[in-house]
Amino acid sequence: MAGEAADQGEPTRSKVAAYVALTKPRIIELLLVTTVPTQVVAARGLPSGWLVLWTVLGGALAAGGANTINMVVDRDIDRLMKRTRGRPLVTGEISPRAALTFAIALEVASFALLWGAVNLLSAVLAVSATLFYVFVYTLWLKRTSTQNIVIGGAAGAAPVLIGWSSVTGSLSWAPVVLFAAIFLWTPPHFWCLAVRYRDDYAAADVPMLPVVSSMRAVTLRIVGYTALLWATTLLFAPVADMGTLYLVAAIVLGGAYLALTIDLARDPDPGKAMRLFHWSITYVTLLFGAMALDQLLVGAS
């Protein structure tokens, strides 16, 4: 046991920091980047500050709970991957039972907060996304299918539905198209990361696409999904009655994204794939920022 602890390194963070790490805060930040702009579009201007606060907080709690359960389930493979060996359940900072209790508490708090301060539909969507992420992606697809991140990406697209329903109390074609855009964005975004950590996933026997397919096949899939993503973001303009600013941003950003993926397909280099991974985050941030600004300018005119 002493040798094992020495190999892993002594934990240097506080217990609070370890619990925060369980929630994967960087992933939560990205999810919230899509939630608030969607609320702006649904409201055709600035929604209530309190509504934004409760929706963001409820969504963060739900995502944090889902990510924590993911770490509980995946602690065996996290131990085998260099990228994840420092996670709290691997280092022993937090026990699986304590982590699961924490996750359930987050999910209960999320549902209660969203139901009480937002609406029942948003609360149901949040808990449904968690259940999908845990049971469909983590427990079923992640270890058994190359389609794991394709189908599992639906959970990460749920925040746009939650954001829209928080304002309107219902869903329509506009949030469904936006959901499809994030659904299509997820595979090329994640496959670029999986290219970088291919050996990690192979060591853990996780069939991510770059583990079981050639770089050529992976990059062609990335190009295909990005092309569909670009078309979907353009479709969102007429469906949601967006203005010129959004349309121009969707054309320029989507065109740049597609060009970068084509460049990767021509020269399938892992370093280039990692740079594309970071660009994909910038892309979705700028696109949703333009979406919100578009509606704020329209509302002010």
Side-chain angles (χ1 to χ4, degrees), residues 177 180-182 184-185 188 222-238 246-262 283 287:
V177 172
I182 298 299
L184 291 167
W185 169 85
I222 288 173
V223 171
Y225 271 87
T226 304
L228 290 172
L229 165 64
W230 191 16
T232 304
T233 61
L234 297 180
L235 175 63
F236 181 70
Y246 168 78
L247 182 58
V248 170
I251 292 171
V252 173
L253 292 171
Y257 194 180
L258 184 59
L260 289 172
T261 63
I262 292 173
Y283 163 81
L287 181 70

Side-chain angles (χ1 to χ4, degrees), residues 22-299:
L22 285 177
T23 67
K24 302 182 184 178
R26 287 188 177 180
I27 294 179
I28 293 176
E29 289 174 9
L30 188 57
L31 295 177
L32 299 182
V33 160
T34 63
T35 302
V36 178
T38 301
Q39 289 182 291
V40 173
V41 175
R44 298 298 176 182
L46 279 176
S48 160
W50 285 110
L51 179 64
V52 172
L53 174 63
W54 299 134
T55 305
V56 165
L57 182 56
L61 291 171
N67 291 332
T68 299
I69 297 173
N70 173 265
M71 283 202 193
V72 172
V73 174
D74 283 350
R75 63 189 185 278
D76 59 331
I77 60 176
D78 283 348
R79 212 170 260 114
L80 302 174
M81 299 170 61
K82 293 179 181 178
R83 183 172 67 93
T84 55
R85 284 179 184 170
R87 288 179 171 175
L89 288 168
V90 177
T91 61
E93 296 167 86
I94 298 173
S95 70
R97 182 175 181 177
L100 187 58
T101 300
F102 175 63
I104 293 172
L106 290 179
E107 293 301 328
V108 171
S110 169
F111 187 84
L113 176 62
L114 289 172
W115 188 7
V118 183
N119 57 54
L120 180 58
L121 177 58
S122 296
V124 169
L125 288 169
V127 75
S128 297
T130 294
L131 294 173
F132 188 91
Y133 182 67
V134 171
F135 289 99
V136 177
Y137 173 68
T138 303
L139 288 172
W140 175 30
L141 293 174
K142 183 173 183 177
R143 306 185 191 213
T144 61
S145 173
T146 57
Q147 295 299 303
N148 46 23
I149 200 64
V150 176
I151 300 172
V160 299
L161 301 181
I162 297 168
W164 191 279
S165 66
S166 71
V167 173
T168 65
S170 63
L171 295 175
S172 62
W173 280 114
V176 170
V177 172
L178 205 52
F179 172 91
I182 298 299
F183 180 81
L184 291 167
W185 169 85
T186 302
H189 163 72
F190 193 86
W191 283 332
C192 286
L193 180 68
V195 165
R196 169 66 177 81
Y197 293 102
R198 179 188 179 282
D199 292 342
D200 261 8
Y201 286 113
D205 198 27
V206 177
M208 290 297 176
L209 189 64
V211 174
V212 300
S213 299
S214 66
M215 274 291 288
R216 176 67 175 168
V218 173
T219 55
L220 288 178
R221 290 273 192 96
I222 288 173
V223 171
Y225 271 87
T226 304
L228 290 172
L229 165 64
W230 191 16
T232 304
T233 61
L234 297 180
L235 175 63
F236 181 70
V239 170
D241 195 24
M242 300 299 291
T244 303
L245 175 61
Y246 168 78
L247 182 58
V248 170
I251 292 171
V252 173
L253 292 171
Y257 194 180
L258 184 59
L260 289 172
T261 63
I262 292 173
D263 181 56
L264 176 65
R266 289 173 175 167
D267 179 23
D269 173 67
K272 189 175 288 187
M274 198 61 190
R275 289 192 292 274
L276 185 57
F277 167 79
H278 290 299
W279 159 252
S280 67
I281 297 173
T282 301
Y283 163 81
V284 80
T285 303
L286 292 176
L287 181 70
F288 275 76
M291 184 189 306
L293 184 58
D294 178 277
Q295 289 303 297
L296 291 175
L297 291 177
V298 168

